[in-house]
Amino acid sequence: MSWWHVLLLFAAGVGGGLCGSIAGLASLTTYPALLLVGLPPVTANVTNTVALVLNGVGSVSASLPELRGQRAAVIRLVPAALLGGAAGAALLLTIPAEGFEKAVPLLLAASAVLIALPQGEHVADGPPSVTRRVVESLCVLAICVYGGFFGAAAGVLMLALFLRMGSEALAHANATKNVVLGVANGVAAVVFAVFADVEWLAVVPLGLGCLVGSRLGPAIVRRAPARPVRLAIALAGLVLAVKLGVDAYG
């Protein structure tokens, strides 16, 4: 791996950390960077998942003030995150590489559309009922399966879920999302580290960049106009999805 590749991956990691803070979509910059340095799709995906562990570390550490008082909710959702992340990783390792390569453009396109959609904030009235808690846990499980399998836009889905079903405000929903997805991603990363072909030389610069970006993100997001940035990210994702689709189906 050349120095140019190292710098590219570090820059993509910083961008991924920032994108994750703005829109919950770190993989939209990190995964394409791994493809650009020559990794095949499945190897790029598992390497990306391992590197994003540091993105989770940075995001959670930056969210500690908002996590106060959310211990019970986090503990309740962690089992679903653990199971979902492991199941998604197992699914990725069992399907043919060609099948994953053809699924990626569709996943990226859907992720880009999700990132462009406005996210309203809905605060539920009163404490969550048993039914709402069960539905929320099942939705978390499904999103974490997807997160362990591919991951792009999993943060968008999770944030939308917590805003519409939980009682917390945006900052608190985002903090909970960081923990839950961090757990799911961490479990998937362990599975990939043991059973998959991880490109460790790429993990280091990409992961360090993610750590820096995820720590800087909250401060930058407070001053940046979020909507134009989200639309720019979505447009880039759609362009990439079209290119990968042409390569996979052409």
Side-chain angles (χ1 to χ4, degrees), residues 8-37:
L8 173 65
L9 290 173
F10 180 78
V14 173
L18 293 173
C19 288
S21 298
I22 295 168
L25 199 54
S27 294
L28 199 57
T29 62
T30 56
Y31 177 75
L34 292 167
L35 296 179
L36 284 175
V37 301

Side-chain angles (χ1 to χ4, degrees), residues 46-87:
V46 300
T47 301
N48 184 57
T49 298
V50 174
L52 287 180
V53 169
L54 288 179
N55 184 74
V57 171
S59 297
V60 171
S61 64
S63 303
L64 290 179
E66 289 79 18
L67 285 171
R68 294 187 187 124
Q70 296 203 71
R71 180 186 179 92
V74 169
I75 291 176
R76 173 169 52 85
L77 295 173
V78 160
L82 288 168
L83 180 59

Side-chain angles (χ1 to χ4, degrees), residues 122-176:
H122 169 73
V123 179
D125 298 325
S129 65
V130 174
T131 300
R132 199 168 82 201
R133 287 181 178 182
V134 171
V135 171
E136 184 181 46
S137 296
L138 291 175
C139 290
V140 166
L141 175 64
I143 294 171
C144 288
V145 170
Y146 168 71
F149 178 77
F150 183 56
V156 178
L157 296 171
M158 192 76 72
L159 186 58
L161 171 70
F162 290 150
L163 286 174
R164 285 158 177 79
M165 298 197 68
S167 59
E168 60 267 84
L170 176 61
H172 297 91
N174 189 59
T176 306

